[in-house]
Amino acid sequence: MSDILQVRGLTKRFGGLAAVNEVDFNVREGGISGLIGPNGAGKTTIFNLITGVYKVTSGSVSFEGKDITDTEPYRIADIGITRTFQNIRLFKNLTVFDNVLTACHASASYNLADSLLRLPRFRREEKTLKEKALELLSILGLADRKDAIANGLPYGLQRRLEITRALALDPRLLLLDEPAAGMNPDETEQLMRLIGDIRNRFKLSVLVIEHHMDLVMGLCEHIVVLNFGQKLADGTPDAIRGDKRVVEAYLGGGE
Amino acid sequence: MSSYLEGIIMLSGINLIAVLGLSLLTGFAGLFSFGHAGFMAIGAYSAAICTTIFKLPFFVGIAAAAAAAAGASWLIGRATLRLKGDYFCIATLGFGEAIRLILDNFQGLGGARGWPGIPPHTTLVNILILDVIGVVLLANLVRSRHGRNMIAVREEELAAQVAGINTFKYKMLALVVSAAYAGVAGALLGHYMTFIQPKMFSMVKSTELTIIVIFGGLGSISGSVLGAVVLTFLPELLRAVDKWRLVVYGLAVIGIMIGRPRGLMGGFELTPKSVRAHFARLREAKAARADQAAEEKGGL
């Protein structure tokens, strides 16, 4: 299996603090990888560096063999990477359907004149976009909520909607930032199954940040452990579980 | 129709065009501007140059007004749209005042004394035609992927970016279209008054436009239409209270904003479909009440 994403010597300093320091890891194509570590270990910062939300201090990120370091966030989606946020960021006042429809924009190519004058190309492509949005919503089990306002959805469904919106951009790599945060064990289990289904159905690779050890160990084929901005370990769930340094970082050291 | 009433209708129709433009920028793209009177001024003077100096037909003047205002907004946008919301708002305020002061001091176009003798090309008919075109184009725009991308920028800028939306580009598009509308409104105003003066395009005018958009309801085109008509007529209806007119006007605006904080039509669009849906809900509610009443009766 080849690697879809390669991170090399990735460093981000905020003033004197190195939030991420010389981190290397790969994400396997078609795999589900996990990024774990205690609070403040730099997990979300790494997502922000990959997606261009933060500028890299040094190091590089390459996707499908091409260097994408410091690409503008809006281009990252075109390249084939989309993400969700730890504190859900939906288009709050729009309906569930419009949240997904908006994200489908990249599949259309009609121009401003087509929009203003409702030319045939507009009608044709809009119809396709709407079908696509509906199809995604039914795959993700949100079809019956399509007219609800996003902000009014229960928490778990808001997370699901954010994932649906990310999928609307046809990504080849999906970055999920703590998708199970605030979920009960039942919901977490459902989510695990959902992530697995998505990977198989949409044939994409997933990198997930997670605190729930059950979720990470049960779902991921490959795990990267961070601590204080540095990589602590990197390997299969079994290898990680047996790693002394990881246990120390999570449970506190002996001496 | 009395010419007085006709005059107010024409003024509200002209205001409406500027308001529609600002509605796109503020209501849909979420950017506040306190300099839109500046774009109206650019439109008014450009159109007047076309019709009086170059003796071109009025529609050419209107097109030139739209183009000049759009061009100016593009330059302003290049310089200021990277700023965060509040700073952008201040920048537009500075722009509007700068335009006014430049015109005040530029004697070639009449300076502060104004520019009389502009041909009275503006009629009720051409205002209404442009109003209809303005509403249709705007409604088409906001219900396209371009409009949805602007709304996404308003809702959650970071999420819009990672969803592949070039937020700068869509803010710019909203600003340029919005300025073009203001330019057309300026052209109509000049050829209605047959006289233009920089003072007509002061910050007071910009603020008035913003008040109308908020009063009508952000993100609602029908709200903007309603707001433009109501708030142009209101000061006229209040002529009865003479010098207290603007005080009462102010109180009326405050009262309505307290009663309906999201504006007259906030978030709601008046279309045949939405009206039918509204009545369907009312009927359902009525049927539900009837069922309940029948049940209670049966229960007894």
Side-chain angles (χ1 to χ4, degrees):
Chain A
M1 218 165 18
S2 64
D3 294 323
I4 191 163
L5 186 82
Q6 296 182 312
V7 172
R8 288 288 168 272
L10 195 65
T11 302
K12 176 66 185 177
R13 274 185 241 287
F14 293 105
L17 176 84
V20 174
N21 199 0
E22 295 284 334
V23 171
D24 302 298
F25 68 89
N26 296 339
V27 174
R28 306 233 163 100
E29 183 152 13
I32 300 183
S33 307
L35 196 54
I36 66 171
N39 278 326
K43 305 179 299 284
T44 300
T45 306
I46 287 184
F47 270 22
N48 284 335
L49 291 170
I50 295 172
T51 55
V53 174
Y54 292 157
K55 292 270 170 275
V56 167
T57 306
S58 64
S60 71
V61 182
S62 53
F63 178 71
E64 295 178 336
K66 282 190 295 272
D67 182 40
I68 59 157
T69 317
D70 285 341
T71 306
E72 294 238 34
Y74 75 88
R75 286 190 204 280
I76 291 289
D78 277 348
I79 290 171
I81 306 177
T82 57
R83 69 177 283 189
T84 65
F85 293 90
Q86 192 175 344
N87 44 344
I88 308 173
R89 288 178 185 269
L90 292 170
F91 305 134
K92 291 195 195 74
N93 301 309
L94 305 188
T95 62
V96 168
F97 180 68
D98 282 345
N99 264 274
V100 180
L101 183 63
T102 302
C104 287
H105 73 102
S107 318
S109 60
Y110 64 79
N111 61 31
L112 189 60
D114 295 327
S115 288
L116 289 170
L117 304 172
R118 303 251 133 158
L119 298 178
R121 188 151 70 129
F122 168 88
R123 289 167 199 278
R124 203 170 51 236
E125 291 191 3
E126 257 320 83
K127 196 166 159 262
T128 321
L129 291 189
K130 286 180 177 157
E131 284 164 4
K132 180 178 177 182
L134 272 182
E135 190 192 337
L136 275 171
L137 284 171
S138 49
I139 293 173
L140 277 284
L142 283 165
D144 53 333
R145 301 284 192 127
K146 76 183 176 64
D147 295 320
I149 299 295
N151 210 18
L153 284 184
Y155 192 73
L157 292 186
Q158 290 196 17
R159 290 237 172 251
R160 196 175 271 244
L161 174 57
E162 206 187 16
I163 296 174
T164 316
R165 187 180 66 188
L167 290 172
L169 290 143
D170 304 322
R172 294 187 297 285
L173 173 63
L174 180 62
L175 308 178
L176 301 172
D177 195 345
E178 294 202 26
M183 287 187 175
N184 62 35
D186 259 7
E187 290 171 321
T188 308
E189 169 119 24
Q190 264 186 22
L191 181 79
M192 271 173 63
R193 244 177 286 129
L194 179 71
I195 296 173
D197 287 350
I198 287 172
R199 186 261 309 257
N200 299 336
R201 178 159 199 150
F202 295 91
K203 311 222 175 328
L204 42 75
S205 321
V206 180
L207 176 62
V208 54
I209 292 180
E210 198 40 74
H211 273 307
H212 283 63
M213 275 303 137
D214 304 349
L215 187 136
V216 175
M217 294 295 172
L219 186 67
C220 299
E221 293 130 16
H222 180 87
I223 295 174
V224 180
V225 188
L226 291 175
N227 197 21
F228 296 115
Q230 279 170 321
K231 189 170 85 173
L232 206 59
D234 187 338
T236 61
D238 286 335
I240 295 297
R241 209 175 281 140
D243 192 302
K244 256 208 203 100
R245 289 164 307 168
V246 176
V247 176
E248 266 175 33
Y250 265 90
L251 303 173
E255 283 95 337
Chain B
M1 194 165 16
S2 78
S3 64
Y4 172 62
L5 183 62
E6 189 178 328
I8 305 173
I9 294 175
M10 286 171 77
L11 271 182
S12 58
I14 293 171
N15 262 340
L16 173 58
I17 293 181
V19 167
L20 286 173
L22 192 59
S23 181
L24 177 70
L25 186 69
T26 305
F28 291 92
L31 290 166
F32 282 83
S33 159
F34 284 96
H36 255 51
F39 298 123
M40 282 182 79
I42 292 173
Y45 279 83
S46 310
I49 291 170
C50 289
T51 56
T52 56
I53 300 177
F54 297 109
K55 310 284 182 219
L56 292 166
F58 189 36
F59 74 87
V60 178
I62 291 177
S73 74
W74 186 79
L75 291 174
I76 298 301
R78 283 292 300 259
T80 60
L81 272 179
R82 303 231 183 248
L83 301 174
K84 292 267 173 240
D86 307 354
Y87 300 102
F88 171 76
C89 179
I90 306 256
T92 59
L93 196 154
F95 158 79
E97 287 301 279
I99 292 292
R100 186 178 64 80
L101 287 167
I102 290 169
L103 291 170
D104 255 347
N105 291 294
F106 187 63
Q107 299 306 324
L109 298 175
R113 270 172 297 124
W115 182 355
I118 296 167
H121 287 324
T122 302
T123 62
L124 186 57
V125 174
N126 56 33
I127 290 176
L128 290 180
I129 290 173
L130 286 170
D131 279 347
V132 171
I133 293 176
V135 169
V136 169
L137 290 184
L138 189 60
N140 285 349
L141 178 59
V142 301
R143 288 177 301 153
S144 69
R145 71 182 174 111
H146 303 99
R148 286 194 298 266
N149 288 358
M150 291 176 195
I151 295 171
V153 173
R154 174 194 77 190
E155 287 291 312
E156 181 60 69
E157 193 165 342
L158 187 57
Q161 277 188 332
V162 303
I165 296 170
N166 181 349
T167 54
F168 180 76
K169 180 179 142 193
Y170 283 96
K171 284 181 191 176
M172 181 67 102
L173 182 61
L175 177 65
V176 168
V177 173
S178 152
Y181 272 71
V184 171
L188 290 171
L189 185 66
H191 291 79
Y192 166 69
M193 305 288 245
T194 67
F195 170 73
I196 47 178
Q197 197 182 17
K199 212 170 74 183
M200 291 156 64
F201 307 102
S202 66
M203 209 184 87
V204 177
K205 184 71 192 172
S206 298
T207 314
E208 185 194 331
L209 296 175
T210 299
I211 288 176
I212 296 177
V213 171
I214 297 173
F215 178 87
L218 294 178
S220 166
I221 296 173
S222 37
S224 294
V225 175
L226 207 60
V229 174
V230 170
L231 288 190
T232 311
F233 266 83
L234 191 61
E236 299 302 327
L237 295 175
L238 292 173
R239 284 202 185 275
V241 289
D242 196 32
K243 64 185 171 197
W244 293 98
R245 191 161 72 102
L246 289 176
V247 177
V248 177
Y249 173 88
L251 288 177
V253 171
I254 293 174
I256 291 179
M257 291 317 294
I258 291 173
R260 296 188 67 89
R262 300 185 61 201
L264 285 178
M265 305 283 295
F268 184 75
E269 205 64 84
L270 201 62
T271 60
K273 201 174 147 197
S274 73
V275 170
R276 272 200 305 276
H278 184 68
F279 278 109
R281 270 199 302 277
L282 286 182
R283 269 198 306 277
E284 268 171 35
K286 200 176 164 193
R289 272 200 305 277
D291 282 352
Q292 207 180 359
E295 235 170 68
E296 276 169 18
K297 236 184 193 169
L300 289 172

